Amino acid sequence: MNEGRYRVLAVVTCIGMLLVLLAGALVTNTGSGRGCGDDWPLCNGKFIPAYTVESLIEYSHRLISGAVGLLVLASFIATLVLYRKHREPVFYASGAGVFTIVQAVMGALAVVWPQSSSVLALHFGFSILAFAFTLLLVLWALRLKRGEASMRIEPRLPRSIYGLSLAALVFSYVVIYLGAFVRHTQSYGGCLGWPLCNGKWIPAWEGATRIVFTHRLGAAALFLLILWLLIVIVRTDRVDRGIRRSGKAAFILVCCQVLSGALLTYTLTDTDWFIFTSMLHNLIVAAMFGVLADLTIRSWKWSERREGS
């Protein structure tokens, strides 16, 4: 395998992992988690299940996950063969493999033994991490093509950018978990309307309303944190253009995340539109987390070089 084919493999694996993530969200949004009963890897005791919408969605998710698992394995082997002396791609390929296995095991356990909503929400969180690692591998491969991955002289960044990037990354994972918890507890209707919640700025702190409003507060705090990060990046002299682009991309995506969350709220009563807006929201959140992960890693590398220079 040459470098060009490796990049194609990395991109296909990343796209596949995104499809796994979205398919898992579709299973939850359509209530298809029990579409194959409590059988795994069979579906209602069969390799090819009887046709129902729920079994079709659940079984398709399993097939996609299995195929992407093979792609992740192929990417890991190819990385070891071509770039075993580079710690960064080996770390990304290994991370993708670990979290792919973890989310697959959790998915199987959720079928065989019903899990609590708090545990099921972790399943989506691990899927996000698996996707992020495949995205990081793609970005590294693309930078290698442009000669950036082997640069010996890299920009120097103040540690504040790394600190804020790391804080935004960690907190975004918390917000993502809260969103998954809303989905698995079916608490969407806890806050009707946007930006107000049930016609109030501060609603009654109970039941589904508490769950949804906590997620909204987290999303608002994340918006402000990423805005702060962008301001620091823009105001810092001699910041690499790639860092500036990542900062702007993260801010655009968090804005889209907020707006898609509002759109999701307004489509609660329309099942078809609600499934679409929910998937869109998940897509934006996954992209935002991946961009923040890349920004955090690059700012960490370059701030460390600054300290050691």
Side-chain angles (χ1 to χ4, degrees), residues 22 36 39 53 64 75 78 90 93 99 112-113 124 129 140 170-171 182 199 210 221 224 242 261 278 293 298 301:
L22 294 177
C36 287
D39 291 337
V53 174
I64 293 171
S75 295
V90 172
F99 286 108
V112 179
W113 294 294
F124 184 76
L129 289 172
W140 182 87
V170 173
F171 192 67
V182 169
R210 179 180 59 194
L224 295 175
S278 180
R298 284 193 292 158
K301 288 196 305 180

Side-chain angles (χ1 to χ4, degrees), residues 36 39-43 46-47 59 62:
C36 287
D39 291 337
W40 193 94
L42 300 180
C43 183
K46 301 178 181 179
F47 280 104
Y59 204 57
R62 293 186 187 184

Side-chain angles (χ1 to χ4, degrees), residues 24-185:
L26 180 62
V27 168
T28 303
N29 292 336
T30 57
S32 303
R34 308 303 295 174
C36 287
D38 57 1
D39 291 337
W40 193 94
L42 300 180
C43 183
N44 294 320
K46 301 178 181 179
F47 280 104
I48 301 177
Y51 175 77
T52 65
V53 174
E54 290 79 10
S55 62
L56 179 62
I57 294 174
E58 168 64 13
Y59 204 57
S60 296
H61 174 49
R62 293 186 187 184
L63 291 176
I64 293 171
S65 298
V68 174
L70 294 177
L71 287 173
V72 171
L73 177 60
S75 295
F76 176 72
I77 294 173
T79 301
L80 291 182
V81 171
L82 293 176
Y83 305 112
R84 59 182 176 275
K85 294 182 180 179
H86 296 258
R87 290 182 297 177
E88 195 171 350
V90 172
F91 174 69
Y92 297 152
S94 300
V98 168
F99 286 108
T100 297
I101 293 173
V102 171
Q103 63 96 10
V105 170
M106 288 191 68
L109 291 176
V111 171
V112 179
W113 294 294
Q115 307 290 318
S116 66
S117 297
S118 57
V119 174
L120 289 173
L122 283 174
H123 187 195
F124 184 76
F126 287 131
S127 297
I128 282 277
L129 289 172
F131 166 73
F133 274 105
T134 60
L135 178 61
L136 289 170
L137 188 62
V138 169
L139 294 175
W140 182 87
L142 293 176
R143 290 186 184 116
L144 180 68
K145 178 183 179 181
R146 297 194 299 265
E148 297 177 16
S150 58
M151 287 172 59
R152 294 185 178 181
I153 300 176
E154 295 176 332
R156 299 176 178 181
L157 296 175
R159 292 187 65 85
S160 59
I161 293 180
Y162 164 62
L164 285 172
S165 298
L166 179 61
L169 178 66
V170 173
F171 192 67
S172 68
Y173 190 81
V174 174
V175 174
I176 288 169
Y177 176 82
L178 290 172
F181 189 70
V182 169
R183 184 164 61 247
H184 284 287
T185 55

